[in-house]
Amino acid sequence: MDMREKSLELTAPQLSGPADRLYRLIAKSPECTAETAAQQLNMSMSELERAIQDLRRLGLLSADQSGTGTLVPFPVEFARIKVLNPLQQDLNRIQSLVDRLRCDLNELDVHTPHPGHSHYSLKIVHELDDVRRLIAGLAAECREEALTSQPGGARKEEVLAEAMDRTTKMLSHGVKMRTLYQHTARFSPVTVSYVSQVTPLGAQIRTLADGFPRCIVFDRETAVLPLLEDSKGAAVVRDPHVILFIVEAFERAWNASSEFSPENHVANRRTVTSEVQRTIISLLVQGESDKRIAHVVGISLRNCQRHISNIMKSIGARNRLHAGYLLSKEPFSLDPLRNT
């Protein structure tokens, strides 16, 4: 960013107390002169003159065209047009400069090595736009490998559209890309369409019943992780020990996952559905809540509750506690769930 850009000084005329009183008076008294106003407001002529100047700077008072000395007020809307609109434009320009500088500094900080200072290995980026810009920059610089995990089931169309350009560019540069989704993403036409476009370019995509935590790892050097509490920000990690841990955990999940191929995704629906149901049963036995089970499996709460209801009916459970007891006592056949 070029810091030589002209600085903006936000200086605006103020509506002083005397100016406020004067405007209220002349708005009610169309033929009011300066002398009359000074008398009625108990002001000296010098104080009145300052109030007149304040109103003129705000665009609230016209110049006397009749020669009678009458003070003619302009509507308040004139002040909004004359003063507030330009100020708002200046504020917008300053906000734009601040946003650009923040992004530049965040990106510079992330890409600047800090040898010997482990506490510099973790950087927090709070704004979603900054995170997107950072990921785009890291993707553009990626040389060999990108590992990504996107739990939560079906991906949003706008998210996949944003990722498409970044993904195709990396693949065209010879970057190896592996992505983990959850099994439930296979039932999303938008996600299937995305997979069918990127796999011929070299991307490898697999799915798990219970999702691996969200992350992106570039060249096994930089990881982008989500913040707590569903924040829009991200944590950027460069510590090699943490990166190694993330990569090894990713590899274990990858080895336990199933290939997501658009050509055979229909044939695999039954197998995938069975794995999802087994995961639900396992979590049900552990006493997890419906909300937690839905989050782990990557489906909506309503869909999760439908699965649980079908499981309970199939085994004749009276309630969740009874279901947990029955499921823990003997293996449960998934065949009755084939229509879920």
Side-chain angles (χ1 to χ4, degrees), residues 1 14 20 25 49 81 98 103 110 135 146 157 303:
M1 174 182 174
Q14 301 296 311
D20 178 272
L25 173 64
E49 188 60 35
I81 296 173
V98 170
C103 290
V110 167
I135 291 175
E157 184 173 3
N303 198 13

Side-chain angles (χ1 to χ4, degrees), residues 136 139-140 142 163-175 201:
C142 189
M164 178 63 74
D165 181 61
R166 182 171 66 242
T167 299
T168 53
K169 285 181 179 178
M170 282 196 294
L171 294 172
S172 67
H173 295 156
V175 174
L201 302 177

